[in-house]
Amino acid sequence: MTKRLSEKENYFSMSEFLESYYWAGKDDSLGSLLGSVTLWSDDGELFDQAIAEDWHAFFSDVSNEDHTMFESFQAVKQFVNEYLPDVAETTPLSRNLTYNIRMICEMTEAQRNQEPVWKNWVAAVNWITNPNVVPVNESPFLEKGQSLPNPDNKGFRKNQFPIAQVLPAPRPEIPMEDSPEMLTVEQSFQVQLAFMRHYYQVTSDSELGNYLQQYSKVDGSNIRYEKWCRKFSERAEIERKASSLTVLVMAKDYYEIFFSDNALHAQSLRKLSYEIWKTVYLPHSQRVQTEVWQNWLTAVHQVME
């Protein structure tokens, strides 16, 4: 019989799954998030109601019924896309974990059964659904004066799910190739706006329309433009310019934060965010054949004319 998880079982499994990687790597991004993920009140309600509401949206988006093992993992994918996005500001361990989760969701059953991250997920689910396990309704972080578990205890914390024995594999480096178009910071921001306007014309998505209306000014009054300028200065390559490919990678991070692939955003924006994420990781010979890249080049040429 196929095991199915309720919304709360799915959540507790995710909590233990993420914590197992925190304890393995003492990762700052995971540690900051888990303080909110694992703290429960005496009446069984999560203290952070924003996370509780988001989780309900992610769980329900996959299915309104109890989830299979794989469906429950798809809800986790939406959660990490929102709270541990694959962007430069997220710590490497968390980024690697998010990347691996996203890729596993695209694999066949035979492929994912070989993946250590998937195996750890299955173990977390089995641990939570074991009738002898009692959920801990408070943060299990170490208290002052306590130390990490003794390595002789085979990776177990007392009465807790085991520490992850295998860290998520490093995500691949984004394949970069020379791009003939070199953009100034203002041009780069205009390119991503032109790119977004194309998709607004195609989808008429109100969320994207509101964003374009609110954040299209290319001056100091636009907080998003100021943040873009700071990021551009870190990526600029030659004479304070960056290639169109480098700017697309910047745009990938931008979309991962503002329009991440989860149920909090319109389906058209989720799909666009996903397609950009997938495109930047492709070898450049494959990337240039994608719709995302073709539309991106169109936006570049519009701005540079």
Side-chain angles (χ1 to χ4, degrees):
M1 182 176 179
T2 302
K3 182 175 293 186
R4 288 188 172 271
L5 283 74
S6 68
E7 183 172 339
K8 203 159 189 176
E9 286 174 327
N10 196 164
Y11 186 89
F12 274 120
S13 297
M14 178 184 69
S15 172
E16 296 299 335
F17 171 76
L18 295 179
E19 272 201 67
S20 71
Y21 290 105
Y22 169 76
W23 288 104
K26 297 302 292 288
D27 181 79
D28 288 341
S29 293
L30 276 170
S32 298
L33 175 60
L34 284 167
S36 298
V37 168
T38 61
L39 196 59
W40 294 75
S41 62
D42 291 337
D43 59 1
E45 294 296 319
L46 190 65
F47 272 114
D48 193 322
Q49 282 301 299
I51 284 181
E53 291 170 5
D54 288 351
W55 174 254
H56 178 71
F58 302 152
F59 182 91
S60 301
D61 182 66
V62 176
S63 170
N64 285 319
E65 300 177 349
D66 288 356
H67 288 174
T68 65
M69 194 86 73
F70 182 58
E71 288 172 337
S72 63
F73 197 68
Q74 291 176 308
V76 174
K77 180 189 74 170
Q78 292 199 37
F79 186 89
V80 296
N81 282 351
E82 181 67 19
Y83 289 100
L84 296 171
D86 179 16
V87 297
E89 290 79 6
T90 307
T91 51
L93 191 155
S94 289
R95 286 189 70 184
N96 293 343
L97 181 58
T98 295
Y99 178 87
N100 276 263
I101 290 170
R102 296 181 75 162
M103 292 306 297
I104 288 169
C105 285
E106 298 190 27
M107 294 177 181
T108 65
E109 182 177 1
Q111 289 173 324
R112 63 176 177 262
N113 284 339
Q114 302 302 313
E115 292 293 321
V117 169
W118 174 256
K119 292 177 181 178
N120 199 38
W121 170 248
V122 173
V125 169
N126 289 337
W127 192 85
I128 281 294
T129 54
N130 184 329
N132 296 318
V133 170
V134 178
V136 178
N137 290 328
E138 59 183 12
S139 175
F141 285 171
L142 292 173
E143 297 177 0
K144 188 175 181 180
Q146 289 183 301
S147 60
L148 279 170
N150 188 302
D152 294 334
N153 68 359
K154 299 181 181 179
F156 281 81
R157 293 173 288 141
K158 186 178 180 181
N159 299 323
Q160 294 292 324
F161 182 64
I163 296 170
Q165 298 300 300
V166 181
L167 292 178
R171 69 197 180 286
E173 292 293 324
I174 294 175
M176 301 294 290
E177 286 196 10
D178 290 339
S179 178
E181 302 88 356
M182 298 298 293
L183 306 170
T184 65
V185 61
E186 182 174 327
Q187 287 174 327
S188 70
F189 193 75
Q190 293 282 19
V191 166
Q192 62 88 22
L193 287 175
F195 180 75
M196 294 165 82
R197 289 191 189 101
H198 165 76
Y199 284 96
Y200 177 62
Q201 292 169 357
V202 172
T203 65
S204 299
D205 183 88
S206 59
E207 185 179 359
L208 184 52
N210 291 338
Y211 182 91
L212 286 168
Q213 186 174 20
Q214 193 171 0
Y215 296 113
S216 289
K217 287 187 176 181
V218 187
D219 58 37
S221 67
N222 182 355
I223 188 172
R224 298 282 164 82
Y225 178 61
E226 288 195 328
K227 289 182 178 179
W228 180 273
C229 289
R230 289 196 292 271
K231 292 300 176 186
F232 185 91
S233 65
E234 298 171 3
R235 301 283 185 97
E237 297 156 324
I238 301 172
E239 297 179 350
R240 290 183 290 182
K241 291 185 178 183
S243 70
S244 56
L245 179 51
T246 296
V247 177
L248 177 61
V249 175
M250 282 183 61
K252 189 276 295 183
D253 281 13
Y254 206 65
Y255 276 70
E256 288 295 295
I257 294 172
F258 297 116
F259 304 119
S260 49
D261 178 13
N262 61 55
L264 302 183
H265 302 284
Q267 187 62 38
S268 56
L269 286 179
R270 290 178 59 181
K271 183 176 184 297
L272 176 58
S273 179
Y274 165 77
E275 292 295 343
I276 295 172
W277 177 83
K278 189 173 181 180
T279 296
V280 298
Y281 280 108
L282 289 173
H284 197 59
S285 59
Q286 296 178 32
R287 180 189 294 138
V288 296
Q289 300 177 45
T290 64
E291 180 180 314
V292 164
W293 180 257
Q294 294 301 320
N295 289 335
W296 182 255
L297 279 189
T298 298
V300 169
H301 296 153
Q302 286 176 355
V303 170
M304 297 186 73
E305 284 179 354

